[in-house]
Amino acid sequence: MDWELVIGLEVHAQLLTATKIFCGCSTAFGAEPNSQVCPVCLGLPGALPVLNRQVVEHTLKVALATHCTVAPRSRFARKNYFYPDLPKGYQISQYELPILEHGFLTVEDDAGNPKRIGITRIHMEEDAGKLLHPEGPGAGGREHSLVDLNRACVPLIEIVSEPDLRSPKEASQYVRKLREILVYLGVCDGNMNEGSLRADANVSVRPRGQAAFGTRAEIKNLNSFRFLEQAIAYERRRQIELLEDGGKVIQETRLFDSARGITVSMRSKEEAHDYRYFPDPDLLPVVVEPAWLEAVQRDLPELPDARRRRFQEGYGLPAYDADLLCQSRELADYFEAAVAAHDDPKAVSNWMMGSLLRELNKEGAPPLARAPVTPRHLAAMLGLVKQGVVSANAAKEVFEEMWATGKMPEAVVAEKGLARLTDTSSLEAAVEEVLAANPAEVQAYRGGKSKLLGFFVGQVMRRTQGKADPAQVNEQVRRKLEG
């Protein structure tokens, strides 16, 4: 049978705020366990939550970037369930009146065609704490667990998609696109290793052409693009094999075991009525006046897709360059700062995609904001190449030295003697020396092996330490050999 895969995603994104959603505790990552808690996030009796205004403003930015409709009035509800890392016994979330609904993102399907993925809703909520399971001698092993409540009350938005995705790659693309937008907006750091962005995948299969959906399984807490694709691909195989063997898919929550590459059952899937939602009596409804939304709109940065188009149309960059440079707001800003000082966009793009990204991708490299080669360094170096002060080959050494020392290119050129060879007599001498050192190759060239020209040019460039003009060298060598 020809089976069709159906995927819907629920993405949890931690909002970039200094304090939690309902109290003044810090949201800083990596602090000592339980050092960032108070009566509100511990859920102690009598403690009253107060909504962090910045959480709402960040959420409104997401609304504008994902084409969502903003509810003029939304409200928080209590989602009741017991879990050891949720001491008050309920999570403050939104339910029947979420703040955002009916948006979309456009991704590419597996054939490379644009495809619109619907966003059902986006709502605000608090995170729960975290269970720790100590290991090693004296740690207790599996005998007990520890609870860290630093994450309790950290602000999240949950972005729920329509079941429009049809392959693991589409699902991965959707989350990548979402992450890119959230980071561009400055509302989420997108760090999946630290749990700032994680996805739950609802996966089902149905015979192709059938309208009704199959029974879905939810795979929780996928925190990398690779794991997301692997988990969905495994779940597709598992469900198809189960159905073709005459079995039934059970609606349940599953976890992905990345070491074994399989999903395993965690618990039966709860329905909304199991959580006994009811409006939180301690929080007022969230009212978004048009003036507030307009103010947020005015502060909205240029989004990645619009910037890609501008880079192609305004700077004449190929689509590949524009796509790569706009995958990060910092990288795109760097490019524009360098182009402002050196008006050759393609040259700037080439050096950024080559030397700059190569250095940034090395283990232990600093982030772009602290890179020793700034846009001013790069623009000045390209200026020297354009003026003929250094050759393109010598510029590579200049770049490496700038990266190692942070010095400006003029200083590097002077200290290392990398200025272009302009003395014609020195170049002629270098050519003569190369020809004299390779008599057999000279005879072969003159006997018809014209491809040896490149060999001689390379030898002269090496002898002049890359400081000669390759075109000049080519001309000199050819004249000497054929003259």
Side-chain angles (χ1 to χ4, degrees):
M1 182 176 290
D2 184 16
W3 296 94
E4 182 180 46
L5 180 64
V6 178
I7 308 160
L9 292 177
E10 298 171 11
V11 176
H12 291 85
Q14 178 180 334
L15 297 178
L16 268 178
T17 58
T19 56
K20 297 181 179 179
I21 184 170
F22 298 124
C23 66
C25 291
S26 170
T27 58
F29 180 81
E32 283 293 312
N34 298 309
S35 62
Q36 298 174 171
V37 294
C38 71
V40 173
C41 50
L42 290 175
L44 299 184
L48 292 175
V50 177
L51 179 59
N52 184 338
R53 181 182 174 90
Q54 192 177 32
V55 170
V56 183
E57 292 189 343
H58 281 353
T59 307
L60 294 178
K61 286 183 181 176
V62 179
L64 295 169
T66 56
H67 317 282
C68 280
T69 301
V70 179
R73 186 182 179 90
S74 63
R75 69 174 305 150
F76 286 98
R78 291 187 179 180
K79 181 181 182 182
N80 296 278
Y81 64 98
F82 173 77
Y83 207 63
D85 60 5
L86 190 67
K88 59 191 175 191
Y90 61 87
Q91 178 190 26
I92 302 178
S93 182
Q94 291 189 310
Y95 178 50
E96 82 279 24
L97 293 174
I99 188 168
L100 311 179
E101 291 183 294
H102 311 311
F104 68 87
L105 283 184
T106 302
V107 303
E108 286 186 355
D109 64 15
D110 288 356
N113 300 314
K115 179 177 179 180
R116 180 177 290 195
I117 307 300
I119 292 175
T120 312
R121 57 184 277 151
I122 299 178
H123 62 256
M124 301 177 286
E125 64 184 23
E126 61 178 347
D127 204 353
K130 182 180 181 183
L131 289 180
L132 304 171
H133 308 286
E135 294 182 355
R142 296 178 177 273
E143 296 175 2
H144 66 269
S145 297
L146 304 175
V147 184
D148 178 7
L149 294 169
N150 281 351
R151 283 197 68 86
C153 225
V154 161
L156 303 177
I157 50 172
E158 181 174 337
I159 304 157
V160 182
S161 83
E162 293 287 322
D164 291 341
L165 298 153
R166 292 291 177 269
S167 75
K169 188 179 172 187
E170 272 187 17
S172 172
Q173 270 210 31
Y174 169 83
V175 180
R176 285 176 195 275
K177 192 75 174 282
L178 201 52
R179 179 185 180 278
E180 185 181 80
I181 290 173
L182 296 174
V183 174
Y184 250 78
L185 292 172
V187 303
C188 175
D189 64 17
N191 191 330
M192 300 180 82
N193 290 331
E194 295 178 1
S196 301
L197 194 77
R198 55 188 190 268
D200 302 339
N202 287 295
V203 180
S204 65
V205 296
R206 63 183 174 186
R208 193 172 299 282
Q210 175 180 298
F213 292 131
T215 303
R216 71 181 188 277
E218 180 187 42
I219 313 169
K220 296 287 287 183
N221 291 331
L222 297 162
N223 64 354
S224 84
F225 300 117
R226 183 163 59 92
F227 291 166
L228 176 68
E229 291 193 30
Q230 288 177 348
I232 292 172
Y234 174 82
E235 190 58 22
R236 172 173 55 188
R237 289 197 300 275
R238 186 188 73 86
Q239 292 188 17
I240 290 173
E241 287 173 6
L242 192 61
L243 293 169
E244 291 187 341
D245 286 346
K248 290 177 65 177
V249 176
I250 301 168
Q251 185 168 324
E252 62 180 344
T253 299
R254 300 178 70 85
L255 290 176
F256 180 58
D257 182 337
S258 59
R260 294 189 289 167
I262 63 172
T263 66
V264 293
S265 182
M266 179 184 176
R267 60 173 185 254
S268 61
K269 175 66 179 169
E270 295 88 350
E271 300 290 349
H273 60 75
D274 295 326
Y275 292 117
R276 295 177 293 113
Y277 282 99
F278 66 87
D280 191 300
D282 292 335
L283 287 162
L284 292 170
V286 181
V287 177
V288 180
E289 301 285 358
W292 191 7
L293 193 56
E294 287 167 12
V296 172
Q297 173 83 64
R298 285 196 294 274
D299 286 342
L300 209 64
E302 185 181 28
L303 294 173
D305 281 351
R307 206 167 192 183
R308 287 187 175 96
R309 286 194 295 274
R310 186 166 61 80
F311 275 23
Q312 290 182 64
E313 294 166 5
Y315 295 117
L317 292 183
Y320 177 82
D321 294 36
D323 180 53
L324 189 64
L325 294 175
C326 292
Q327 285 180 6
S328 146
R329 186 173 171 182
E330 289 74 20
L331 203 60
D333 288 346
Y334 185 109
F335 169 79
E336 296 214 87
V339 169
H342 180 76
D343 189 18
D344 187 344
K346 185 54 181 163
V348 172
S349 171
N350 288 344
W351 278 88
M352 286 182 64
M353 294 193 301
S355 299
L356 182 68
L357 287 182
R358 184 174 61 247
E359 295 295 339
L360 288 172
N361 289 332
K362 287 181 180 174
E363 190 173 348
L368 182 58
R370 296 204 305 272
V373 176
T374 66
R376 190 164 71 94
H377 284 82
L378 182 60
M381 188 199 77
L382 292 174
L384 296 181
V385 175
K386 189 173 183 178
Q387 294 159 23
V389 176
V390 293
S391 67
N393 277 335
K396 293 176 184 173
E397 190 173 344
V398 174
F399 186 94
E400 290 172 4
E401 187 66 11
M402 290 195 301
W403 188 268
T405 66
K407 293 179 179 176
M408 288 300 288
E410 296 84 351
V412 174
V413 171
E415 288 174 12
K416 298 183 78 75
L418 293 172
R420 196 171 207 157
L421 189 64
T422 55
D423 179 0
T424 309
S425 60
S426 297
L427 178 58
E428 285 186 355
V431 173
E432 291 286 1
E433 288 168 11
V434 168
L435 297 186
N438 298 281
E441 285 77 8
V442 171
Q443 188 174 2
Y445 179 88
R446 288 173 174 158
K449 289 191 175 180
S450 59
K451 290 183 178 177
L452 283 170
L453 182 65
F455 163 76
F456 293 116
V457 171
Q459 292 294 311
V460 175
M461 292 300 294
R462 191 171 296 117
R463 192 170 287 262
T464 59
Q465 299 178 312
K467 293 187 282 187
D469 179 354
Q472 266 189 316
V473 173
N474 200 299
E475 181 189 341
Q476 287 271 4
V477 170
R478 189 189 298 276
R479 188 165 57 79
K480 290 286 183 184
L481 286 169
E482 298 175 2

